[in-house]
Amino acid sequence: MKRLWSVTGGAAAGRHGGLRKVVPLPPEREGRERERHGVDGQEASGGGICRLEFEETRRNGEQGRRGEGTKRWISSPAATELEKIVMDWVGEMLQLPKEFLFSGNGGGVLQGTTCEAIFCTLISARDQTLSRIGRENMKKLVVYGSKQTHRALQKAARLIAGIHPYNFRAIETSKSTSFGLSPDSLRSSICANIEAGLGPLLLCATVGTTSTTAIDPLGSLSEVANTYGVWVHIDAAYAGCACICPEFRHFMDGVEAANSFNLNAHKWFLTTFDCYCLWVKDLGALIKSLSTTPEFLRNKATDSREVMNYKDWQITLSRRFRALKLWFVLRSNGVANLRDFLRSHIKMAKLFEGLVEVDKRFEIVATRYWFASRCCHQQWERKLTQMEKLMTVIVIT
Amino acid sequence: MKRLWSVTGGAAAGRHGGLRKVVPLPPEREGRERERHGVDGQEASGGGICRLEFEETRRNGEQGRRGEGTKRWISSPAATELEKIVMDWVGEMLQLPKEFLFSGNGGGVLQGTTCEAIFCTLISARDQTLSRIGRENMKKLVVYGSKQTHRALQKAARLIAGIHPYNFRAIETSKSTSFGLSPDSLRSSICANIEAGLGPLLLCATVGTTSTTAIDPLGSLSEVANTYGVWVHIDAAYAGCACICPEFRHFMDGVEAANSFNLNAHKWFLTTFDCYCLWVKDLGALIKSLSTTPEFLRNKATDSREVMNYKDWQITLSRRFRALKLWFVLRSNGVANLRDFLRSHIKMAKLFEGLVEVDKRFEIVATRYWFASRCCHQQWERKLTQMEKLMTVIVIT
């Protein structure tokens, strides 16, 4: 406690950006100094947050409420600030462009799952486009992905966000492009739709698909999408984690032209379910679509616009304090150890691939990427079931 | 472990409905016998679930995956079955009509928050109506609530589900009806909308509003709504918990005419955030709107339609195993103790109201309901702030 208060001047740590001063070092430099991090974590997350909460809520004339979580800054100022710090940290580890970080003009949020986050970006894109072309044109909006894109996009678009079921395009991919979405196919689809009087809305490109760990060419896809004013969301749910290793960072090349980006810390970052990281460049579009401020949630801090409320970044109003577990993972391991952990999995996958390669019962279907999933097709001698006919995906992690 | 397996014949407990036989007693009879319940809980939730999962997944030729949670029955059969049992238990405690329970034709699901669950029912109602009147009429759909209804409805309708922003009706309430929504006002609004060529879609009635704990007259509102084919959702997030006490059950009278009902176990049931209970009568409508089954999630158990997958009951695909914490609360306390706990809070609220009544600085604004919230308006001598002008809501729980 002592250190926290001496560094920050007491309750000031809870103010907008104040907590950042408590741990000014980026996680990159932390390495294996576990003991010290443990103390930091305890200070900032335990007594610190409780006391900051009390001080800040008292200052703003607001009584604390149970179950408020990190819904509003005023309910838990230090928890909100910690989430912002953690999101900037992971963003920096990924070398995300500055525009996606709080230290730039964007920012990140921890949500539950891919569905939830894709849904939020889809709504932002939808409302941004409708404000330009008029709400009566909603039935004309088209969403693009590949046959490999996670089904979460289809669920968000077709079933939930009110996009017409016929306006979801799952573009074919092939082995020739290692199952990545071809920019030419995207351009053809967009042009055909515009000609038919439809309105291209959003493209979801993927780094590491569920079925084959395929990687879409982000740069050239974004170029096509940007030409037609299409929002680009990059879903790097699983494989994005590996991109904190410099040797794999190039799989994210092209992210600078996208509007939003995600990865799942609960997939490959030693973090428990659920912990999903979403970054957006245009905070205004997200918050405009998702914010509501009924009278009982108003307070001086928010009205002054000095702080932000994470309730305006997601579907639900209430939310859990997910930043804490990710904070502990980052602080107790350090980036160096996390990288070693990822590399050890990828090494195992390479070993596995070698064993499969020499076994004639299997065929390697997609080998290009050194992630921990390897796709191989077993050449069964007996009659194949429907599932076996498709592909046997062996996931080590 | 011994008891679990001897009663159910081993892995059969994981099959559809099998786990129910392990604990055939309804929670009503459990009382304070904590020790025995502890053993049950440990058996069913710990070793039992792991072993059942292994047995069932092996039988269905499916490898278990980390992070699957209770997404699919096949990933965690006993966890899915436990959620079904717990939802039927709470439904029985509330004396919900049989049509809302698995033992009838309906069923319940544990979700995160009010927003999420209202959103799911709204989508079900939306798709059910659009399949009748055509998707091109989406912009005509109207959603009804009162000025007291939780802002989650507005967020779900206006911001997310694609309902036109002008088509959200927050009908005025007054002190004369203790801030409950008047059926006459609802009828007038619906008739005016129909005359204007719009399509009434959903009414959200509330048992215990956030601002004043007002209770809408469920029976007469449902009667009006049913006349015009409007889906009735009842949001009893906070006050619904008290309805497990026979003396408060009458506040839910009329629920039999509704389509869906919810309460928040994390509000007043000694359960940690998040744990939101939603029951629906028409499972078909919910699942039709929310299900997706990509190839990698297919399996024999689901294809045979013998089992259900909770991923088809909510926005997201992945989900946490929330039933366990609610199971422990129910088993370790028993209904009798939960009722005593709720009554003790309500007794405190009555005591508080008595103290406020004799203090001339305060005015009691809404006193009709014996829930643990009391609304009073402080007569300030100094200049009032905007928030103080409205109302001071003092929440004991």
Side-chain angles (χ1 to χ4, degrees):
Chain A
M1 284 295 291
K2 230 182 215 172
R3 189 178 147 208
L4 181 72
W5 297 109
S6 61
V7 171
T8 60
R15 288 185 201 153
H16 184 49
L19 197 67
R20 196 177 291 267
K21 293 173 199 155
V22 183
V23 195
L25 299 173
E28 182 74 42
R29 299 185 217 164
E30 301 297 324
R32 283 177 176 81
E33 301 165 46
R34 284 171 195 254
E35 210 166 317
R36 189 162 60 80
H37 308 157
V39 176
D40 281 358
Q42 196 191 342
E43 285 176 351
S45 62
I49 283 173
C50 293
R51 188 154 159 193
L52 289 170
E53 194 168 321
F54 172 73
E55 292 287 339
E56 286 295 327
T57 49
R58 190 183 54 79
R59 178 176 299 112
N60 287 276
E62 172 93 358
Q63 71 273 43
R65 293 199 216 174
R66 286 199 325 184
E68 278 278 287
T70 48
K71 184 199 290 188
R72 300 178 300 155
W73 186 90
I74 194 67
S75 315
S76 205
T80 301
E81 294 298 330
L82 191 69
E83 185 162 338
K84 290 170 65 183
I85 291 171
V86 166
M87 290 308 293
D88 262 13
W89 273 12
V90 181
E92 283 160 17
M93 285 157 62
L94 290 164
Q95 297 176 51
L96 271 184
K98 195 95 173 161
E99 301 98 299
F100 285 101
L101 308 182
F102 287 107
S103 49
N105 294 318
V109 59
L110 286 171
Q111 301 198 342
T113 68
T114 313
C115 294
E116 203 179 331
I118 288 187
F119 185 40
C120 290
T121 55
L122 189 60
I123 290 166
S124 307
R126 181 194 73 185
D127 290 355
Q128 200 178 49
T129 303
L130 289 180
S131 70
R132 205 174 58 240
I133 65 171
R135 277 198 89 84
E136 64 281 8
N137 289 308
M138 184 144 143
K139 63 184 176 192
K140 294 181 181 171
L141 300 179
V142 189
V143 172
Y144 303 85
S146 81
K147 285 270 185 193
Q148 293 270 324
T149 308
H150 197 281
R151 192 58 63 102
L153 176 68
Q154 193 176 358
K155 186 162 185 174
R158 289 175 58 168
L159 310 178
I160 301 171
I163 303 296
H164 198 290
Y166 297 129
N167 289 350
F168 177 77
R169 301 281 178 274
I171 300 169
E172 279 290 354
T173 61
S174 68
K175 205 174 169 180
S176 67
T177 58
S178 295
F179 301 102
L181 176 57
S182 143
D184 290 339
S185 305
L186 175 68
R187 190 189 300 274
S188 306
S189 189
I190 290 178
C191 290
N193 290 329
I194 291 175
E195 213 158 292
L198 299 175
L201 174 67
L202 177 138
L203 161 71
C204 181
T206 310
V207 178
T209 62
T210 307
S211 305
T212 63
T213 69
I215 293 176
D216 293 332
L218 308 184
S220 42
L221 286 173
S222 297
E223 204 177 302
V224 173
N226 290 345
T227 309
Y228 301 97
V230 170
W231 181 297
V232 180
H233 176 74
I234 296 174
D235 174 21
Y238 149 63
C241 301
C243 298
I244 65 165
C245 303
E247 65 270 35
F248 302 122
R249 172 56 177 79
H250 65 94
F251 291 125
M252 273 172 54
D253 283 355
V255 66
E256 55 280 2
N259 301 76
S260 46
F261 176 88
N262 76 262
L263 66 74
N264 276 0
H266 64 250
K267 280 208 193 295
W268 210 4
F269 258 1
L270 294 169
T271 314
T272 54
F273 182 81
D274 47 7
C275 194
Y276 179 101
C277 307
L278 169 71
W279 292 267
V280 286
K281 266 184 188 170
D282 185 356
L283 289 188
L286 190 77
I287 291 170
K288 197 173 171 192
S289 288
L290 295 168
S291 73
T292 51
T293 306
E295 193 56 44
F296 67 89
L297 290 184
R298 284 186 65 187
N299 58 80
K300 285 180 199 168
T302 303
D303 289 349
S304 72
R305 293 177 188 271
E306 271 179 25
V307 300
M308 47 148 276
N309 302 307
Y310 268 126
K311 74 175 178 56
D312 298 333
W313 291 56
Q314 58 176 31
I315 299 171
T316 60
L317 288 167
S318 300
R319 62 200 306 274
R320 290 182 303 125
F321 179 24
R322 296 186 183 96
L324 192 59
K325 58 184 178 185
L326 189 51
W327 158 282
F328 275 121
V329 167
L330 297 177
R331 296 286 290 171
S332 60
N333 289 283
V335 184
N337 289 324
L338 264 182
R339 284 185 185 138
D340 287 350
F341 159 75
L342 292 161
R343 284 170 183 142
S344 74
H345 278 201
I346 291 165
K347 202 172 156 190
M348 280 194 282
K350 272 178 103 165
L351 172 70
F352 177 72
E353 190 184 43
L355 295 172
V356 165
E357 254 174 348
V358 296
D359 189 325
K360 288 189 175 169
R361 289 173 301 172
F362 291 90
E363 176 200 348
I364 304 287
V365 180
T367 58
R368 193 178 140 203
Y369 310 114
W370 291 125
F371 296 140
S373 295
R374 282 293 165 273
C375 297
C376 49
H377 184 153
Q378 190 166 4
Q379 312 288 345
W380 302 91
E381 285 170 23
R382 61 183 172 76
K383 198 181 166 202
L384 303 183
T385 65
Q386 194 187 12
M387 187 62 198
E388 288 163 355
K389 268 183 196 163
L390 266 170
M391 188 173 288
T392 306
V393 180
I394 299 168
V395 182
I396 293 176
T397 53
Chain B
M1 286 295 290
K2 228 180 217 175
R3 190 177 146 210
L4 181 73
W5 297 108
S6 62
V7 171
T8 61
R15 289 186 199 153
H16 184 49
L19 196 67
R20 196 174 292 266
K21 293 173 198 154
V22 183
V23 196
L25 299 173
E28 182 74 43
R29 299 184 216 165
E30 302 296 324
R32 284 177 174 84
E33 303 165 43
R34 285 172 194 253
E35 210 165 318
R36 188 162 60 76
H37 308 157
V39 177
D40 281 358
Q42 196 189 343
E43 285 176 351
S45 62
I49 283 173
C50 293
R51 186 151 160 194
L52 290 170
E53 194 168 320
F54 172 74
E55 291 286 339
E56 286 294 327
T57 50
R58 189 183 55 77
R59 179 176 296 113
N60 288 275
E62 172 91 0
Q63 69 273 44
R65 292 199 217 174
R66 285 196 328 182
E68 278 278 287
T70 49
K71 183 199 290 187
R72 300 178 301 157
W73 186 89
I74 195 67
S75 314
S76 206
T80 301
E81 294 297 329
L82 192 68
E83 186 162 336
K84 290 171 64 182
I85 290 171
V86 165
M87 290 307 293
D88 263 14
W89 273 12
V90 181
E92 283 161 17
M93 286 157 62
L94 290 163
Q95 297 176 51
L96 272 184
K98 195 95 174 161
E99 300 98 299
F100 284 101
L101 307 183
F102 286 108
S103 50
N105 294 318
V109 59
L110 287 172
Q111 301 199 342
T113 68
T114 313
C115 294
E116 203 179 332
I118 288 187
F119 186 39
C120 290
T121 55
L122 190 60
I123 289 167
S124 307
R126 181 194 74 185
D127 290 355
Q128 199 178 50
T129 303
L130 289 179
S131 69
R132 206 175 57 238
I133 64 171
R135 279 199 86 85
E136 65 279 9
N137 289 309
M138 186 146 141
K139 63 183 177 193
K140 295 182 181 172
L141 300 179
V142 189
V143 171
Y144 303 86
S146 82
K147 285 269 186 194
Q148 293 270 323
T149 308
H150 197 280
R151 193 57 64 101
L153 176 68
Q154 193 176 357
K155 185 162 185 173
R158 288 175 59 169
L159 310 179
I160 301 171
I163 304 295
H164 197 290
Y166 296 128
N167 290 350
F168 177 77
R169 301 279 177 276
I171 301 169
E172 279 289 353
T173 61
S174 67
K175 205 173 170 180
S176 68
T177 58
S178 295
F179 301 102
L181 176 57
S182 143
D184 289 340
S185 306
L186 175 68
R187 190 189 301 275
S188 306
S189 188
I190 290 178
C191 289
N193 290 330
I194 291 175
E195 214 158 292
L198 299 174
L201 174 66
L202 177 138
L203 160 71
C204 180
T206 310
V207 178
T209 62
T210 307
S211 305
T212 63
T213 70
I215 294 176
D216 293 333
L218 308 185
S220 42
L221 286 173
S222 298
E223 205 177 304
V224 174
N226 290 345
T227 310
Y228 300 98
V230 170
W231 180 299
V232 180
H233 176 75
I234 296 174
D235 174 21
Y238 149 63
C241 301
C243 297
I244 65 166
C245 303
E247 65 270 35
F248 302 121
R249 172 56 177 79
H250 65 94
F251 290 126
M252 274 173 55
D253 284 354
V255 65
E256 56 280 1
N259 300 78
S260 47
F261 176 89
N262 77 262
L263 65 75
N264 276 1
H266 64 250
K267 279 208 192 293
W268 210 5
F269 257 1
L270 294 169
T271 314
T272 54
F273 182 81
D274 49 6
C275 193
Y276 179 99
C277 307
L278 169 71
W279 291 267
V280 286
K281 267 185 186 168
D282 186 355
L283 289 188
L286 190 77
I287 292 170
K288 199 174 169 189
S289 289
L290 295 168
S291 75
T292 51
T293 306
E295 193 57 43
F296 67 89
L297 290 184
R298 285 187 63 188
N299 58 80
K300 284 180 199 167
T302 304
D303 288 350
S304 71
R305 293 177 187 272
E306 271 178 26
V307 299
M308 48 148 274
N309 301 307
Y310 268 126
K311 74 174 178 58
D312 298 333
W313 292 56
Q314 59 177 28
I315 299 170
T316 61
L317 287 168
S318 300
R319 62 201 305 273
R320 291 182 302 126
F321 179 23
R322 296 186 183 96
L324 192 60
K325 58 185 177 184
L326 189 50
W327 157 284
F328 274 121
V329 167
L330 297 177
R331 295 286 289 173
S332 60
N333 289 283
V335 183
N337 289 324
L338 265 182
R339 283 185 184 138
D340 287 350
F341 159 75
L342 293 161
R343 284 171 183 142
S344 73
H345 278 200
I346 292 165
K347 201 173 157 191
M348 281 194 283
K350 272 178 101 163
L351 172 69
F352 176 72
E353 189 184 44
L355 295 171
V356 165
E357 256 175 346
V358 295
D359 189 323
K360 287 188 176 172
R361 288 173 300 170
F362 291 90
E363 176 200 348
I364 304 287
V365 181
T367 56
R368 194 177 137 204
Y369 310 114
W370 291 124
F371 296 140
S373 295
R374 282 291 166 275
C375 298
C376 49
H377 185 153
Q378 191 167 4
Q379 312 289 343
W380 301 91
E381 284 169 23
R382 61 184 170 78
K383 199 181 166 201
L384 302 183
T385 66
Q386 194 185 13
M387 187 62 196
E388 289 163 354
K389 268 183 197 163
L390 265 171
M391 187 174 288
T392 306
V393 180
I394 299 169
V395 183
I396 293 177
T397 55

